[in-house]
Amino acid sequence: RSPSRGLGDVYKRQVPTRWQDECRKCLDALTKVTKHSVFFMQPVDPIAQGIPEYLNVIKSPMDLGTVRGKLHAETYTTPYAFNDDVCLTFTNAITFNAASHPVHLAAATLLAKFKNKVAPILQVFDAAASGAGDGNEPAGAAADEQPAADADADGAVSPADGAPAAATGLSLIHI
């Protein structure tokens, strides 16, 4: 055991932070509620799926199974990294598939639902980072009167004008 790794490091590995718990709940809701999530649970296999051009179009593949593994391994250092990977999963599907394709439609629907569910997680994290909270409030329980979260072109949610995103009061359990 290295001297730089104390009991605090062990505790951090054993007891994930509130935002990690909320991200797990959010991902569970995305993957359990809809049959459409099955499209996104494993990496795309271009050869087996008969789409050899996939990696020519999609330069950064991502899937919800990989996201789940990264959450379990506590690879994400912020909920924004989690947000980016989930959004990447769906934007890849939207980019690759025609607008009328069932995978494109499922990705667009799940992306919209995800953005609504992740906004409160990001808001609580931002409040904790700015000293307005400790990051352990339930999602949607922090300060009122804050600018709303904006979605950028790839669907990633980011706080407006650098301020914490508004609480939406949404439950993270239902999508």
Side-chain angles (χ1 to χ4, degrees):
R1 181 175 184 151
S2 75
S4 65
R5 294 178 60 105
L7 290 177
D9 293 323
V10 172
Y11 181 77
K12 286 178 187 174
R13 285 194 317 270
Q14 292 175 347
V15 181
T17 61
R18 176 76 176 173
W19 68 261
Q20 289 170 317
D21 290 339
E22 294 298 330
C23 288
R24 283 184 186 92
K25 290 177 191 175
C26 182
L27 186 61
D28 286 346
L30 275 177
T31 58
K32 290 180 182 176
V33 171
T34 176
K35 65 181 179 178
H36 299 299
S37 64
V38 72
F39 296 130
F40 311 104
M41 292 307 300
Q42 296 179 0
V44 171
D45 182 339
I47 303 305
Q49 293 175 313
I51 48 174
E53 69 281 5
Y54 183 80
L55 295 177
N56 294 331
V57 176
I58 301 301
K59 300 301 181 191
S60 298
M62 184 53 61
D63 64 279
L64 298 180
T66 298
V67 171
R68 184 178 306 284
K70 290 170 94 173
L71 271 174
H72 180 72
E74 298 182 18
T75 302
Y76 296 120
T77 58
T78 71
Y80 284 97
F82 165 77
N83 173 70
D84 291 348
D85 277 355
V86 174
C87 288
L88 180 62
T89 299
F90 298 133
T91 57
N92 283 348
I94 291 167
T95 299
F96 185 78
N97 295 284
S100 61
H101 193 280
V103 173
H104 179 112
L105 297 171
T109 299
L110 289 173
L111 178 60
K113 289 179 180 184
F114 172 73
K115 289 190 300 184
N116 285 330
K117 298 301 177 185
V118 78
I121 297 169
L122 300 176
Q123 186 273 329
V124 170
F125 180 81
D126 289 341
S130 70
D134 65 5
N136 288 318
E137 297 88 356
D144 296 326
E145 305 295 324
Q146 310 248 348
D150 292 325
D152 61 18
D154 69 356
V157 177
S158 60
D161 302 316
T168 65
L170 297 173
S171 165
L172 297 179
I173 298 174
H174 299 97
I175 291 203

